[in-house]
Amino acid sequence: MTAVPGTAALTAAARVLAEPDGRGGTALPVLAGGGPFALRRTLGEGPGAHVVLIGSMAAPLGGDRLAVRVELRPGAVLRLTSAAATVSLPGPGPAHYEQELTVGADAELDWSPEPVIAAAGSHLVLRTRIELAAGARLRYREEQVLGRLHDWTRGGGPGRLTSRLTVRQAGQVILDQQTDLGPGAPGWDGPACLGGHRAVGQLLTVGLPAPTAPAAGDAALMALPGHGAALLTALAPDGLQLRRALAGRQGS
């Protein structure tokens, strides 16, 4: 962890390395966090490891540069969750948050953290890169909420969230999308984008049962060009309804 000269901003990173332990389970030879990141292994079911990402301080603030890097070696199984939502807060300029996820052959990653919330006056630039080897399995849930409840009730509105997600499978790009939501982003609240909703999320599966096709509502299920890859995207008025929409449509 380092401080950016001349500001109160931070540069910090967390790293997780998972590998088979030789006894049918998954070991974590690297579990390291700094700054706002604390990582804890918890008891889980089955052969996989379960890591919880805990925010040890308010972050990201404008100007911060944060990164989370997760690598699964071939055959490892890992579930990563978080203890609370990630709330971006105002500061001098946008905050930058990078997520790099690498999943080896026959490894399985379940990425299911709590939502990212863009508080009023903030701007978070979120960049996620996922590299999947042939035969890797992935369940990736992403939830984004514009503004906290009291931001809206006090007339502050949302912050801005610029997000890009790139997924490669066996070296080939199967998904590369960018969204720019919140004040300052062109047309973000119009009918072609959020259409008055305040929460957007997606559930990406690769090599696992795909989400079920939505019967109705503001959601869409797409087959991706990769092998066994599907993407469910949903909009909702708030984070709770978004979670229900995604949780109720997972494949069995």
Side-chain angles (χ1 to χ4, degrees), residues 7-240:
T7 73
L10 295 176
T11 298
R15 185 175 175 227
V16 180
L17 175 61
E19 64 182 18
D21 64 4
R23 302 185 300 275
T26 297
L28 299 172
V30 178
L31 192 62
F37 298 122
L39 298 167
R40 299 290 183 269
R41 180 169 187 168
T42 67
L43 295 177
E45 299 180 357
H50 181 191
V51 172
V52 180
L53 179 63
I54 301 171
S56 58
M57 59 190 292
L61 280 71
D64 287 355
R65 291 186 173 273
L66 307 178
V68 174
R69 298 180 175 89
V70 176
E71 179 185 353
L72 276 67
R73 289 180 175 163
V77 178
L78 175 68
R79 180 171 184 242
L80 191 142
T81 61
S82 62
T86 297
V87 182
S88 66
L89 300 170
H96 293 263
Y97 194 156
E98 293 192 357
Q99 299 177 153
E100 295 184 3
L101 315 179
T102 303
V103 187
D106 196 36
E108 181 175 326
L109 174 62
D110 182 345
W111 179 271
S112 303
E114 295 302 302
V116 174
I117 301 175
S122 70
H123 184 188
L124 177 63
V125 179
L126 177 63
R127 183 72 169 95
T128 303
R129 299 178 182 87
I130 303 177
E131 294 282 349
L132 303 173
R137 300 180 300 278
L138 173 71
R139 179 183 177 276
Y140 175 87
R141 189 186 73 205
E142 179 179 81
E143 300 170 339
Q144 299 174 354
V145 180
L146 296 183
R148 298 167 293 186
L149 178 60
H150 69 263
D151 290 333
W152 291 101
T153 57
R154 296 176 183 177
R160 184 171 177 177
L161 207 165
T162 304
S163 175
R164 183 171 180 181
L165 170 62
T166 303
V167 184
R168 288 182 172 85
Q169 183 184 50
Q172 300 297 314
V173 175
I174 63 172
L175 178 64
D176 192 358
Q177 66 177 26
Q178 180 166 312
T179 57
D180 193 6
L181 307 172
W188 70 276
D189 204 20
C193 197
L194 291 191
H197 291 301
R198 294 293 175 264
V200 59
Q202 49 196 6
L203 179 62
L204 168 66
T205 58
V206 179
L208 295 170
T212 57
D218 295 315
L221 178 63
M222 297 176 290
L224 298 180
H227 179 70
L231 177 69
L232 172 65
T233 302
L235 301 175
D238 56 47
L240 178 59

